[in-house]
Amino acid sequence: MEQLDHWIGGSSAAPSRGDYLGVTNPASGVTVRRIASGDSVDIAAAVAAASDATEPWRQVPGLARARLFSDLARAMRADAQHLALLEISETGKPESVALGEIEGSATYFDFYGGLIGMPVGDTLDVAPDQHVYTRREPFGVVGVITPWNVPLNQAARACAPALAAGNTVVVKPSEYTSSTTIRLAQLATEVGFGPGVFNVVLGTGAEVGAALVEHPDVAKVAFTGSVPTGRAIGKIAAERIIPLTLELGGKSANIIFADADVDAAVAGAVQAFTANAGQVCSAGTRLLVHRSIHDEVVAKLVERAASVRVGEDIGPLITRDQFARVQEYFKVAEADGAHTETGGTVSELAEETGGFYIDPTIYTSIDNSARIAREEVFGPVVVVIPFADDAEAVALANESDYGLVAGVWTRDVSRALTISDRLRVGQVFVNTWSTASVQTPFGGWKNSGYGREKGSEALHHYSQVKCVTIKL
Ligand code: NAD
C-alpha cells in the first residue's frame, strides 16, 4: 500500500518511530494509503529546518519571491488533475468540487505573490529632528494546523500569506487528508522555494499538533478546526505568549425577509447548508424566515433540496465517526420535537457503496434554543425558524455562541445595511451566499475565533510591526 512520509528540509522524511496510520476513503470505507505517524522528534526536525531557512528566505529579494509564488500557482494548475485525485481519494468529493478547490488554492499564491513588495510601512511625522518609520517583519517559523474539510485550500490559505510575509512554515494537516498538503510542499520545493521553507509533518493532533504549538521556536500558529481544539491550543499559546489565528466553527444564520426574491433566497439557502455535505465552517445552518413567507419557503426548500444529488453534487461525510455523530443529531432533533420536512436519513448510496453519505435534512417546528439549532452538526442539516420582525431576526441571528457569517435576503437596501451592521459576525452576505474570494478577509467573532485569513488583512496576522526612530 502507498505510504506517505513527512516533508522536511526539502525532502521526504520517514517518521522517527517508524509508525504509520491508515487513511480511509469515505466514499467506500476502504483504506487507501498509510501516512507517517509523527511525534515531537519529527516536529523538532521540521522546526529546525524551518528555523535554518528563515534567514536565507528573508534574503530572497521581494520580486524573486513573488516570481516563486507565480511559479507555484502555475505548477499547482499543471498538477490539478493529480491533486484532485489525491483530494478525492481522502474526502470523496465530487471531481468538479475538488478541481474548484484546487483552482482556489492556486489563487492564494497568485494573490499574495502579487502583494509581495507592496508598501507595508509608514513614515511618521513626529518631530523635525526625527525620522520615524514602521516596517512589518516576519515572525520566523509559523506553525499551520488544518482540518479535513477543504484540505489543500486551507493549507494554501494560511501558507501563502505566511510565506509572503517572509516566514517559513511547518504544516500539520489533518490525519484524514494529508496527501495534497504534502504534494503542495513538494511542488513548492520543485519550483525553488528553498529547503526548509515549506515543511509538513503528518500524524495526529494530540501528538504532532500539540508538539508544534509547544515548540519554543514556533513564533506564531494559525489553526483551523474545532472549538475544543482551538481552546486547547489557546492555552498553550497563552503560556508561551505567542499569537494565534483561530478559525473555528459556526452555526450561521441565513435570514430571508418578506421582501426577498424568494426563489433566489431558497437556492442560496440550499447551497449554504448542503455544499461539501454541510462540512463547511461557514455553512448556513439556521434559516430564519419571516413568518409571512415561512410555509412557502419551506415548501420550495424541500423541493430544491430534493434536486441535490448525493454522490454527484455532494460527497460523503469524512469519517465513520462523523457519520455516526450526524445520525446522533437526528435523534437529538427528534427528541426535541423537531418536524422532519425531508431527510433525517442515511442516503441509499451509503448502503450501495459503504460510503458515509447523508441526505439533505430540513427541520422545522423548533426554536433557537434547541440543540440542533445551537450546535454545529457538520452535515447537510438546516433548521428553519420563523421571525416576526427585523428586531427579532437580528436577536435570533445573534443568539448563538458562534459568529462566523450571516446571510441577508432582502430587496430593501436600507434594511440590508442596517441589519448587516447589527449582526455580530465576521462577514455578511447580502442576496448571495459565497465565501469564494481570496480578497475578502475571513474570520470569526465569539467562539468562531479571532484573527483573519484571506485578503491583505491576513498579512497583518503573519507579520509584526517594528517602529524605528532616528535622531537627525
Ligand atoms: P479538529 O479540531 O478536530 O482538528 C483540526 C486539526 O487540529 C487537525 O489537523 C487535528 O489533527 C489537529 N488537532 C487535533 N487535536 C489537537 C491538539 N490537541 N493540538 C493540536 N492540534 C490538534 O477539527 P476537525 O474535526 O478536523 O475540523 C472540523 C472543525 O473545523 C469544525 O468545527 C469546523 O467548523 C472547523 N473549521 C473551521 C474553518 C474556518 O475557517 N473557520 C474551516 C474549516 C473547518
Side-chain angles (χ1 to χ4, degrees), residues 109-123:
F109 290 93
D110 292 331
F111 179 71
Y112 288 106
L115 293 183
I116 292 175
M118 294 291 284
V120 287
D122 290 319
T123 49

Side-chain angles (χ1 to χ4, degrees), residues 205-463:
E207 280 196 287
V208 178
L212 180 59
V213 186
E214 279 161 4
H215 196 289
D217 294 337
V218 172
K220 145 101 197 181
V221 170
F223 171 75
T224 305
S226 64
V227 173
T229 310
R231 205 168 265 137
I233 286 174
K235 286 181 185 155
I236 302 171
E239 200 57 48
R240 294 200 45 231
I241 316 188
I242 58 164
L244 281 182
T245 298
L246 292 182
E247 296 288 4
L248 308 177
K251 192 76 188 179
S252 296
N254 203 359
I255 313 171
I256 308 182
F257 290 92
D259 64 356
D261 174 341
V262 168
D263 290 335
V266 164
V270 170
Q271 182 208 343
F273 84 91
T274 61
N276 210 32
Q279 302 169 111
V280 182
C281 51
S282 54
T285 50
R286 287 188 301 145
L287 188 61
L288 311 181
V289 182
H290 190 267
R291 204 171 282 289
S292 64
I293 55 167
H294 175 271
D295 293 354
E296 177 194 356
V297 166
V298 170
K300 288 185 166 173
L301 204 61
V302 170
E303 194 185 325
R304 180 106 194 169
S307 69
V308 175
R309 296 161 305 171
V310 177
E312 287 176 58
D313 299 323
I314 63 172
L317 301 188
I318 188 72
T319 57
R320 203 175 294 282
D321 282 354
Q322 184 62 18
F323 188 47
R325 191 168 160 265
V326 171
Q327 292 173 66
E328 273 307 306
Y329 271 109
F330 292 159
K331 292 187 196 148
V332 167
E334 259 174 50
D336 281 348
H339 177 69
T340 311
E341 297 286 345
T342 186
T345 39
V346 165
S347 161
E348 279 174 14
L349 191 61
E351 276 152 44
E352 285 166 28
T353 60
F356 312 140
Y357 294 98
I358 291 281
D359 290 324
T361 298
I362 300 169
Y363 290 118
T364 54
S365 305
I366 193 93
D367 70 33
N368 202 44
S369 62
R371 275 185 65 195
I372 197 75
R374 302 194 75 84
E375 297 177 12
E376 187 181 47
V377 176
F378 239 51
V381 180
V382 71
V383 293
V384 187
I385 300 171
F387 64 83
D389 54 25
D390 290 16
E392 192 185 10
V394 170
L396 286 170
N398 287 340
E399 196 183 287
S400 171
D401 293 338
Y402 296 107
L404 195 51
V405 312
V408 175
W409 298 86
T410 176
R411 288 190 170 100
D412 179 342
V413 74
S414 301
R415 172 179 275 143
L417 291 171
T418 311
I419 300 288
S420 298
D421 284 355
R422 289 160 66 193
L423 292 167
R424 298 182 52 75
V425 296
Q427 40 276 304
V428 180
F429 308 126
V430 178
N431 295 333
T432 182
W433 188 275
S434 157
T435 56
S437 174
V438 59
Q439 289 155 280
T440 50
F442 181 76
W445 290 27
K446 302 194 269 184
N447 282 3
S448 294
Y450 51 75
R452 290 292 178 271
E453 297 287 12
K454 309 209 296 181
S456 57
E457 190 80 17
L459 289 174
H460 294 288
H461 296 277
Y462 290 105
S463 59

